[in-house]
Amino acid sequence: MDKDTVLAELDSILEQRKSADAGSSYVASLYHKGLDAILKKVGEEATETVMAAKDVAAGADSDILVYEVADLWFHTMVLLAQQDLSADDVLKELARRFGVSGHEEKAARK
């Protein structure tokens, strides 16, 4: 698969799984368990990402960090889809921030 289309393809699959039987896929089972189950997975994956980064800093193979970030991205995409959002919404927000100082952008949120 072309890396430029991965997020769009994943968005499409995640949307399809919303109406799937809970037993048909992991994602469908998360949707059926609800928001709290999805948030729990995002939290677990965020923690695992932090731990992997510390391991890499201590000399572990960087592949473990890539693996954990992929899990984190995946589960945040499940969360976005559950909330009727997509990777495209996040990409648009990131694009909006180009040319804006991080300090200015953060101050504008208040």
Side-chain angles (χ1 to χ4, degrees), residues 77-97:
M77 288 185 67
V78 171
L79 172 61
L80 287 169
Q82 193 266 349
Q83 297 290 311
D84 296 322
L85 297 165
S86 70
D88 194 51
D89 294 308
V90 176
L91 292 173
K92 286 176 186 172
E93 175 58 20
L94 290 172
R96 183 193 68 78
R97 294 181 187 188

Side-chain angles (χ1 to χ4, degrees), residues 1-16:
M1 179 178 296
D2 180 2
K3 67 178 176 135
D4 294 331
T5 62
V6 169
L7 294 177
E9 290 288 330
L10 187 52
D11 275 337
S12 176
I13 291 167
L14 294 175
E15 191 62 32
Q16 292 169 15

